[in-house]
Amino acid sequence: MSRQDSREDGSDPAADTGTVTDAGQVADHLSAINRVLRRSITARAQRLPVPLTRPQVLALQILVEEDDRSESGLSLSDLSERLGLAHSTVSGIVSRLERDGMVRRSTCAGDRRQIRIELTDSVRDWVDHELPALRQAPLVAVLRQISAEQRAALLDGLATMQRLLEANTTGTSPEST
């Protein structure tokens, strides 16, 4: 048998075709769900007293994630990198968010030349108390439309997928997670 006809583990590559197809479909579904949820949050953000653009929402989401991890904010360069946008573009986004009282620029204690972009207290409060409901609203609406058995199967499948993905990326066995 040639190298092309078998794998190191002895499995048949042709047998994996269905698995690869299924993986593509799972990835497509997850991407589509993520897009719908992002659009929902963006649409709600545009109806706030200070309407937010999609790039502003994305910048705030990244700052929220960073705030959850470290509470130290991000440099403009780091935020630009995470957004995948030019430094000058992100600088304009941050300036508008700062003008609207959503972020502030502060100097680092160790290096006064370095500026960090941080969420304001009012935005932190909004993130803690109102954003979770906004994120969950489309999911709640959909889950109300399916049976308890379908919900249980969906949650079980998602939990299994998460557990296996985490085990595969950390190198631990799925049973130990």
Side-chain angles (χ1 to χ4, degrees):
M1 198 179 263
S2 72
R3 176 89 171 122
Q4 274 184 326
D5 295 335
S6 71
R7 297 189 178 157
E8 289 177 19
D9 66 1
S11 65
D12 179 5
D16 274 351
T17 303
T19 303
V20 170
T21 301
D22 289 348
Q25 290 178 344
V26 167
D28 290 346
H29 286 301
L30 291 173
S31 291
I33 290 167
N34 196 23
R35 268 193 312 276
V36 169
L37 294 175
R38 279 193 323 258
R39 271 191 244 133
S40 173
I41 290 172
T42 300
R44 291 172 188 266
Q46 291 171 341
R47 293 190 303 262
L48 292 171
V50 178
L52 298 174
T53 64
R54 178 142 171 69
Q56 288 172 325
V57 170
L58 291 173
L60 286 172
Q61 286 176 326
I62 290 168
L63 289 167
V64 165
E65 290 168 8
E66 185 61 28
D67 191 63
D68 288 343
R69 272 196 293 279
S70 69
E71 295 187 22
S72 65
L74 286 172
S75 69
L76 197 56
S77 296
D78 289 339
L79 184 57
S80 298
E81 184 179 319
R82 291 198 193 172
L83 284 168
L85 297 172
H87 191 275
S88 59
T89 302
V90 175
S91 180
I93 292 168
V94 168
S95 292
R96 287 184 289 284
L97 289 171
E98 186 177 32
R99 177 196 68 208
D100 294 334
M102 295 182 187
V103 300
R104 65 177 161 263
R105 297 174 201 239
S106 61
T107 57
C108 291
D111 182 356
R112 294 182 55 82
R113 294 171 298 172
Q114 189 174 15
I115 304 293
R116 306 295 283 181
I117 312 303
E118 301 173 333
L119 298 172
T120 60
D121 293 338
S122 61
V123 170
R124 268 197 197 103
D125 186 54
W126 181 80
V127 165
D128 290 342
H129 297 101
E130 295 179 41
L131 185 59
L134 290 176
R135 285 182 174 162
Q136 292 174 4
L139 296 172
V140 168
V142 168
L143 291 174
R144 284 183 176 144
Q145 298 174 34
I146 63 176
S147 71
E149 294 81 19
Q150 290 171 317
R151 263 197 311 269
L154 176 63
L155 292 171
D156 185 50
L158 290 170
T160 299
M161 177 76 68
Q162 179 181 354
R163 180 176 42 81
L164 293 171
L165 285 169
E166 288 172 349
N168 285 328
T169 59
T170 62
T172 61
S173 69
E175 294 80 28
S176 67
T177 57

